[in-house]
Amino acid sequence: LVKSGINDPTSSPTWETLLQDNEWAKTTKLVAKPDQLIKRRGKAGLLAINKTFDECKAWITERMDKPWQVETVEGLLNTFLIEPFVPHAQEDEYYICIVSNREGEELLFWHEGGVDVGDVDAKALRLQVGLAETASAAKIDATLLVHVPQERRPKLASFLETLVRVYRDLHFVYMEINPIVVDAAGKITPLDLAAKIDETAAFLVQQKWGAQVDFPAPFGRAEFPEEAYVKAMDAKTGASLKLTILNVTGRVWTMVAGGGASVVYADTICDLGFAHELANYGEYSGAPNDEQTYNYARTILGLMCRTKRDDGKVLIIGGGIANFTDVAATFKGLIKAIKAFKDELLAGNVSIFVRRAGPNYQEGLKMMLALRDETGLTMKIFGPEQDAVAVCPLALGLVPLDSIPDFDPDAPLIHTVSKAAAPDAALVRPREFSGSPADFKAALTTMSTQQFTNETRCLVYGLQQRAVQGMLDFDFMCKRKRPSVAAMVYPFQGNHYVKFYWGTEETLIPVYTTIATACEKHRDASVMVNFASFRSVYETCMETFEQHAEQIKTVAIIAEGVPEAQTRALIATAEAKGVGIIGPATVGGIKPGCFRIGNTGGMLDNIVTSKLYRPGSVCYVSKSGGMSNELNNIISRNSNGVCEGVAIGGDRYPGSRFIDHLLRYNDNPDCKILVLLGEVGGTDEYDVVEALKTGRIAKPLVAWCIGTCASAFSFEVQFGHAGACARGFGETARDKNAALAAAGAIVPRSFAEFGKKINEVYTLLKERGEIPDVPEPEVPKVPMDYTWAKRLGMIRKPANFISTISDDRGEELKYSGMLISDVFSEDLGVGGVLSLLWFRKKLPPYATKFVEMILMVTADHGPAVSGAHNTIVSTRAGKDLVSSLVSGLLTIGPRFGGALDGAASMMTAATDKGMTAKDFVNECKKNNVLIMGIGHRIKSLENPDMRVVIIKDFAKKHFPKTPTLDFALGVEQVTTSKRSNLILNVDGCIAVCFVDLLRHCGAFTIEEADELIANGCLNGLFVLGRSIGFIGHYLDQKRLKQPLYRHPWDDISYIDDI
């Protein structure tokens, strides 16, 4: 592998070291070629064949770091391969390709390979290998190798059999080898290979792939460091963060929430003629936290502000209507980033356009209005009262800024059916079908015959209490007789109950540890909503399909990132067992008045404004979960509302497809209008085309495929959904839209006109009497949860507890307002942490060091003292650590450890009164009061206690003042004149020094310091320090395996006569 910098003698490797490490290259003829995801390198003049090492070096040097045109893309060549040249004849070259599809793998083989292989799609021999099948050498030989000389066929067939096995084992999704050489001796050598692996399978096969596997940017576009940064962030979070730089000097920048919505915004900008100015594609979704949103936003703002334009720039902050993401929470990080870049944004004449909706959007948009007032930035702010992309023409200057009013937080959001201009009667007219419904032969899944009712009940896998409460609130609004959630399954906490609200009352939902128990206890549950993670969802679904298929007829798989191989296996098993699938990577679905899956439809306010509590006449199917909620909004504003809607998920292989749901809707007499929101990638929309042509779908279908912007990009862009990437013929959004329109679907010119077309169809059907007038029911009222109402600022109540020392609610733990990361970065130590949590102050370093010294000198005083003794006896009685520790701590009091508080109190009072040491001693003697902190059984003036010396010297050296210590030392002079062991002992020294520390370190007033002493903090230090020793004694006794302690009888005086 030869990379940029090879010609720099100071870099490593150099040409010389490269040749030293690869001795074979000195004597072997070689091939040189770029290794940068370039296909058809031979036709592009990027192959050097049958060369010496020096010739390869010259050929590479001539091209290294130089721009090169490959078809329509120009990019820098900076990575090359040098490999052995394999001499062979043209007839030794073959072509092989493996492509994964829904049913398995398809092998394409042609007996003529190389640069002139031609249109292999048209002429290659094909072999489909089903998911449950193996590619046997015999079948490969008989099907694919018919034009290969007989003597070469056995080895080649065996090789291809092994290749398919390796392909599956390593989770490849595509592989093309052209040419693969088979010489007369039967030696097989792949000369050129292009392949793709499934990134989501990393948790399964990362070790087999190796640690060095990376996913480079396509040729023609070097990866920006910012893209790599966002990719790294995305890999470390459950949220989704994507960023692709399209034109770093472009004028139009976006920050869009949701995979589907991000494509819709890019489409609209391109459809409006600004593809050349679109600077980036990206999305953030899945409820990223404040810090993640901040880092994502500042990355985009940093790129945007890197260059200036005379005509200024625009930033579009958009998104569909979120289902579960707290909009205000994500805006916190965004607002923090905008504030940080305020000066650059003002200097660059940047205008910001916001359209956002979903949970807590009102608070989020209020925050944006306040930001506009605070910063003076040019900002226009909108909510769900405007269509998702209504801001785009405004931002691009195509309509006046004042043509759309800003979000008004005080205005009620009420959806009424739009009044469209008189629709064209030819829009919906009887169609002439090219066949009959019986001619429609698409492979359907079990989902095509499933129908949800107001009696449908489900099991929820995972302890998803918020989602379950949302489902129960929806049930109550729809006047269901009983909750749709029969039970939950959670393997980790034992069988128990969880309390939920049913309207204003409370109800209990059982939680079981196994699916089997839940199914056995709740025979009426026919749906499972599976919230298991991408790592475990395969096992839980397989268990359901294989053991409970007679009962569970529909499974919704919420997880994103399920490996494609596992998804295909799930689909095949489910179909064999007669179970329908919605997902993976879905938010679910909703049938107004009947049943709701998970978080579909969002918060209750959106359920009400989109009228999802009662059925309408329009059924939709979408890939995007976020855009499904936007469809709820669009449909409710342009018709009498939703009859049913499903988001099938954005993965390459959804468990059920568009056609499955559209046929369900077509067969539902309550449904009058069908809506399809497809997207770039895959071919599932063509089943819908065939259904339209044959008349199997007879109801009017309004359809649009997002991703039309892909044709405006010079390189392949992977959009927010895993399946949103055109890999083959007919997979572009433009191709699909054209095919749907030709088959009779009503296809708008852009997504911006989607709602208008729905309204025109609805108006025509109303005029024809096909949609009857139905009285609007009373809007149901469901009490808002206290937690959410408080977050919205609608209620308040006094707290049961108040805490001022720590806060674990944010992204990072705080001690008295200080981030835990700062505690470590500033190296505060245990003393610093104690000062924050006990005193709510960041004390100076000498003070925190002194606290640590106290803990060290009070940690232990041998096994004979009462506390240690009790701890040892309890330990030997078999008690646990906490019990043994507590038994020792309970001995701390006036006689054990109490000298600290007593010494502090006596010495401080005397010092404050201005007494002399002699007067103090005489007064204590007169009142027969023991002087606390004075006296030691062993130590004396001649044999000083080194602990006292260390503490006293440290205080004298570092403390600003030591009046209490000075007074205590004066007392010591008086007492030791009578007896040499009446010294200031360690308890007394700690006590008076600690008083001086609190009073004179500058952090407290005298009154505050005295209150802290009175509250017991000095005794707390003794408790904390001595706990270290007690735990040590506990561990020591355990280590020594000491038996139960029994006190010897000869150490007890037994007295009867008293």
Side-chain angles (χ1 to χ4, degrees):
L1 193 65
V2 182
K3 293 192 172 185
S4 180
I6 188 72
N7 293 310
D8 182 356
T10 64
S11 69
S12 179
T14 62
W15 285 110
E16 289 72 22
T17 59
L18 199 66
L19 190 57
Q20 290 171 8
D21 294 339
N22 298 275
E23 292 283 340
W24 54 268
K26 295 179 179 179
T27 57
T28 305
K29 288 291 188 174
L30 305 169
V31 173
K33 56 190 175 184
D35 184 30
Q36 292 179 239
L37 303 183
I38 301 172
K39 295 182 71 175
R40 292 177 286 277
R41 286 171 286 196
K43 285 196 171 183
L46 291 174
L47 276 177
I49 300 175
N50 197 16
K51 305 292 185 182
T52 65
F53 181 83
D54 288 337
E55 289 172 329
C56 285
K57 174 182 174 181
W59 186 86
I60 291 174
T61 301
E62 183 181 346
R63 289 159 179 78
M64 181 67 80
D65 295 325
K66 303 286 177 35
W68 199 271
Q69 185 82 21
V70 178
E71 296 179 348
T72 61
V73 178
E74 182 180 281
L76 287 179
L77 298 173
N78 53 30
T79 305
F80 290 80
L81 280 175
I82 297 177
E83 58 191 21
F85 170 65
V86 179
H88 62 277
Q90 178 63 42
E91 57 268 23
D92 295 338
E93 293 187 351
Y94 300 92
Y95 172 91
I96 179 68
C97 181
I98 308 175
V99 184
S100 295
N101 54 41
R102 190 180 183 89
E103 291 75 30
E105 274 67 46
E106 185 177 34
L107 279 67
L108 286 75
F109 180 84
W110 192 238
H111 60 284
E112 297 171 344
V115 294
D116 296 319
V117 66
D119 186 1
V120 289
D121 284 329
K123 64 185 180 182
L125 300 177
R126 297 170 181 261
L127 173 62
Q128 176 71 28
V129 182
L131 292 171
E133 299 175 344
T134 58
S136 69
K139 187 182 293 185
I140 290 172
D141 185 26
T143 309
L144 300 179
L145 308 185
V146 293
H147 300 304
V148 177
Q150 184 61 46
E151 65 275 11
R152 299 183 179 184
R153 288 166 65 170
K155 269 196 173 181
L156 184 55
S158 177
F159 173 84
L160 295 180
E161 178 184 28
T162 303
L163 183 65
V164 173
R165 188 166 62 249
V166 171
Y167 177 99
R168 286 177 163 176
D169 183 53
L170 296 182
H171 288 257
F172 282 91
V173 296
Y174 173 85
M175 181 185 291
E176 182 185 60
I177 305 176
N178 182 38
I180 182 169
V181 168
V182 184
D183 62 20
K187 183 180 179 181
I188 299 173
T189 309
L191 293 190
D192 211 0
L193 182 148
K196 291 183 180 180
I197 55 177
D198 180 7
E199 291 183 65
T200 62
F203 75 97
L204 293 172
V205 289
Q206 181 68 64
Q207 286 188 324
K208 293 182 179 180
W209 288 348
Q212 301 304 314
V213 170
D214 62 356
F215 299 89
F219 176 71
R221 193 185 66 81
E223 184 175 63
F224 283 74
E226 291 83 358
E227 291 174 318
Y229 173 72
V230 170
K231 185 186 294 185
M233 272 204 304
D234 180 61
K236 297 173 184 175
T237 174
S240 178
L241 301 168
K242 302 288 187 294
L243 177 63
T244 301
I245 306 303
L246 305 172
N247 175 10
V248 74
T249 62
R251 180 169 176 259
V252 184
W253 292 77
T254 64
M255 183 173 169
V256 181
S262 62
V263 182
V264 167
Y265 275 81
D267 282 351
T268 304
I269 292 166
C270 293
D271 291 342
L272 293 172
F274 283 79
H276 64 293
E277 292 283 22
L278 183 57
N280 70 304
Y281 166 78
E283 60 116 349
Y284 68 105
S285 59
N289 60 40
D290 291 359
E291 195 64 19
Q292 291 161 350
T293 310
Y294 165 71
N295 287 324
Y296 182 75
R298 74 178 177 84
T299 302
I300 292 176
L301 294 176
L303 286 162
M304 184 184 193
C305 295
R306 187 174 296 173
T307 60
K308 294 181 181 179
R309 298 270 300 248
D310 293 339
D311 52 352
K313 295 185 179 182
V314 296
L315 172 63
I316 299 175
I317 301 170
I321 301 176
N323 288 288
F324 57 87
T325 299
D326 185 333
V327 173
T330 59
F331 272 4
K332 288 179 183 177
L334 176 55
I335 289 170
K336 179 181 175 183
I338 291 175
K339 286 181 178 179
F341 281 85
K342 181 189 78 170
D343 295 339
E344 292 91 335
L345 293 169
L346 288 169
N349 191 23
V350 174
S351 300
I352 301 175
F353 297 82
V354 181
R355 191 279 184 177
R356 200 71 176 93
N360 209 11
Y361 80 91
Q362 300 95 331
E363 188 63 26
L365 296 184
K366 286 179 188 177
M367 291 161 57
M368 281 293 181
L369 291 170
L371 176 69
R372 179 174 66 184
D373 295 339
E374 177 185 342
T375 60
L377 289 165
T378 301
M379 297 178 67
K380 295 288 286 182
I381 298 159
F382 309 99
E385 74 281 356
Q386 302 297 335
D387 286 342
V389 295
V391 297
C392 292
L394 202 69
L396 300 176
L398 301 178
V399 297
L401 281 179
D402 59 0
S403 61
I404 304 178
D406 265 338
F407 166 72
D408 182 355
D410 299 321
L413 181 62
I414 302 173
H415 284 182
T416 56
V417 179
S418 304
K419 297 292 183 182
D424 182 359
L427 188 66
V428 180
R429 59 184 177 185
R431 288 178 280 122
E432 294 183 3
F433 304 119
S434 58
S436 70
D439 295 331
F440 180 66
K441 301 296 185 183
L444 303 175
T445 72
T446 304
M447 200 66 225
S448 65
T449 60
Q450 305 283 34
Q451 296 289 355
F452 302 119
T453 72
N454 60 5
E455 295 291 326
T456 299
R457 302 196 79 204
C458 72
L459 305 176
V460 173
Y461 190 96
L463 209 58
Q464 294 286 327
Q465 293 174 242
R466 179 178 172 184
V468 171
Q469 185 61 67
M471 293 174 71
L472 267 58
D473 287 340
F474 176 80
D475 298 340
F476 187 80
M477 294 176 77
C478 297
K479 298 180 171 56
R480 280 184 59 129
K481 295 179 180 178
R482 56 180 181 162
S484 61
V485 180
M488 302 165 69
V489 181
Y490 191 64
F492 306 110
Q493 290 184 358
N495 293 349
H496 63 285
Y497 288 88
V498 176
K499 186 169 62 176
F500 292 96
Y501 286 106
W502 179 251
T504 57
E505 304 298 323
E506 290 182 322
T507 188
L508 294 175
I509 299 291
V511 181
Y512 304 103
T513 56
T514 66
I515 299 171
T517 306
C519 287
E520 181 183 351
K521 298 282 187 181
H522 303 277
R523 295 291 184 184
D524 59 343
S526 61
V527 176
M528 185 166 83
V529 183
N530 194 338
F531 281 97
S533 74
F534 66 88
R535 294 176 182 272
S536 60
V537 74
Y538 177 79
E539 288 77 14
T540 56
C541 284
M542 277 299 189
E543 178 187 345
T544 303
F545 299 152
E546 292 173 352
Q547 300 179 26
H548 308 290
E550 291 185 3
Q551 177 179 340
I552 302 298
K553 291 301 179 184
T554 304
V555 174
I557 303 174
I558 309 300
E560 293 188 37
V562 181
E564 290 184 5
Q566 290 190 342
T567 298
R568 293 185 299 159
L570 289 174
I571 293 170
T573 304
E575 194 55 33
K577 298 290 185 177
V579 180
I581 297 178
I582 299 174
T586 180
V587 72
I590 192 165
K591 189 168 185 178
C594 291
F595 185 63
R596 173 188 186 183
I597 296 175
N599 294 300
T600 314
M603 296 295 292
L604 292 184
D605 57 348
N606 189 67
I607 297 288
V608 171
T609 53
S610 294
K611 300 177 181 177
L612 297 173
Y613 52 85
R614 52 79 172 151
S617 301
V618 182
C619 288
Y620 70 82
V621 60
S622 162
K623 278 206 166 189
S624 167
M627 288 308 296
S628 71
N629 216 6
E630 191 65 42
L631 286 176
N632 292 329
N633 181 44
I634 292 172
I635 291 169
S636 68
R637 296 175 61 192
N638 290 283
S639 71
N640 65 353
V642 174
C643 177
E644 185 177 348
V646 169
I648 63 173
D651 283 359
R652 181 88 177 158
Y653 304 110
S656 53
R657 296 167 295 176
F658 296 127
I659 188 64
D660 298 312
H661 296 281
L662 290 175
L663 292 185
R664 287 198 303 119
Y665 303 156
N666 189 75
D667 297 342
N668 180 357
D670 296 327
C671 173
K672 307 300 180 183
I673 303 172
L674 308 178
V675 169
L676 164 64
L677 186 64
E679 65 180 32
V680 61
T683 58
D684 289 346
E685 288 86 351
Y686 290 100
D687 289 333
V688 180
V689 169
E690 289 305 309
L692 287 168
K693 288 180 178 180
T694 61
R696 178 62 181 87
I697 292 179
K699 293 177 180 178
L701 171 65
V702 182
W704 179 253
C705 294
I706 64 175
T708 54
C709 61
S711 59
F713 305 146
S714 60
F715 51 84
E716 181 183 280
V717 173
Q718 174 64 64
F719 294 111
H721 293 155
C725 183
R727 295 181 183 175
F729 176 77
E731 293 194 18
T732 69
R734 293 189 186 279
D735 288 342
K736 295 179 184 183
N737 286 329
L740 286 163
I746 299 138
V747 179
R749 290 179 297 180
S750 70
F751 180 81
E753 294 185 358
F754 205 43
K756 178 183 175 184
K757 288 300 180 186
I758 293 172
N759 183 265
E760 289 177 2
V761 175
Y762 172 77
T763 303
L764 275 173
L765 297 186
K766 281 280 290 182
E767 290 175 354
R768 295 175 184 176
E770 296 182 33
I771 298 179
D773 289 321
V774 177
E776 191 68 38
E778 181 182 356
V779 176
K781 292 181 173 61
V782 173
M784 185 179 293
D785 285 350
Y786 166 77
T787 304
W788 192 251
K790 185 178 180 183
R791 184 181 294 183
L792 296 178
M794 299 175 65
I795 59 172
R796 64 186 181 187
K797 85 171 186 69
N800 292 318
F801 287 95
I802 298 175
S803 175
T804 64
I805 63 170
S806 64
D807 190 345
D808 62 342
R809 295 171 299 173
E811 293 306 312
E812 200 173 327
L813 176 65
K814 294 179 182 177
Y815 291 160
S816 294
M818 188 174 191
L819 295 173
I820 189 66
S821 57
D822 293 337
V823 170
F824 282 94
S825 65
E826 296 185 25
D827 196 21
L828 295 190
V830 173
V833 170
L834 186 144
S835 70
L836 291 172
L837 294 178
W838 286 23
F839 311 132
R840 299 190 69 250
K841 303 281 187 180
K842 182 182 174 184
L843 298 182
Y846 72 83
T848 60
K849 174 63 176 175
F850 182 75
V851 168
E852 292 174 0
M853 289 174 62
I854 294 176
L855 297 179
M856 293 162 69
V857 299
T858 61
D860 195 52
H861 202 185
V865 297
S866 59
H869 181 82
N870 266 24
T871 300
I872 291 170
V873 171
S874 297
T875 303
R876 292 175 62 168
K879 303 297 286 185
D880 60 275
L881 185 147
V882 174
S883 300
S884 301
L885 173 61
V886 168
S887 73
L889 292 177
L890 288 175
T891 65
I892 296 176
R895 297 184 180 181
F896 174 53
L900 279 83
D901 276 344
S905 176
M906 293 180 72
M907 299 291 185
T908 302
T911 303
D912 290 345
K913 289 178 182 178
M915 297 178 70
T916 66
K918 187 173 183 180
D919 289 343
F920 171 73
V921 173
N922 289 337
E923 183 175 311
C924 290
K925 182 178 181 181
K926 176 182 176 182
N927 295 323
N928 199 27
V929 174
L930 184 67
I931 302 176
M932 305 299 288
I934 293 293
H936 199 284
R937 283 187 0 174
I938 301 172
K939 299 297 180 179
S940 63
L941 284 177
E942 296 77 20
N943 180 26
D945 187 339
M946 290 310 299
R947 296 176 297 174
V948 175
V949 174
I950 292 169
I951 293 171
K952 179 179 63 177
D953 290 349
F954 184 88
K956 282 292 187 180
K957 181 178 180 180
H958 296 286
F959 289 9
K961 295 180 181 178
T962 56
T964 316
L965 173 61
D966 294 340
F967 179 82
L969 292 174
V971 171
E972 181 187 53
Q973 288 180 350
V974 175
T975 56
T976 53
S977 68
K978 300 179 180 180
R979 196 162 63 239
S980 66
N981 69 332
L982 294 179
I983 60 173
L984 179 66
N985 59 34
V986 68
D987 289 349
C989 187
I990 288 173
V992 295
C993 289
F994 194 69
V995 170
D996 286 337
L997 173 68
L998 292 184
R999 282 185 161 202
H1000 305 294
C1001 69
F1004 311 99
T1005 64
I1006 298 294
E1007 292 76 14
E1008 288 173 337
D1010 290 348
E1011 183 180 3
L1012 287 170
I1013 297 292
N1015 287 341
C1017 68
L1018 186 54
N1019 203 33
L1021 283 173
F1022 182 79
V1023 170
L1024 183 59
R1026 195 50 61 96
S1027 294
I1028 300 171
F1030 291 170
I1031 292 172
H1033 285 296
Y1034 170 87
L1035 296 173
D1036 186 47
Q1037 296 299 307
K1038 287 291 187 183
R1039 181 169 51 248
L1040 297 172
K1041 296 180 173 55
Q1042 291 297 287
L1044 176 68
Y1045 174 78
R1046 180 179 174 86
H1047 200 74
W1049 62 266
D1050 59 357
D1051 192 39
I1052 302 172
S1053 294
Y1054 294 91
I1055 303 173
D1056 294 328
D1057 185 17
I1058 58 172

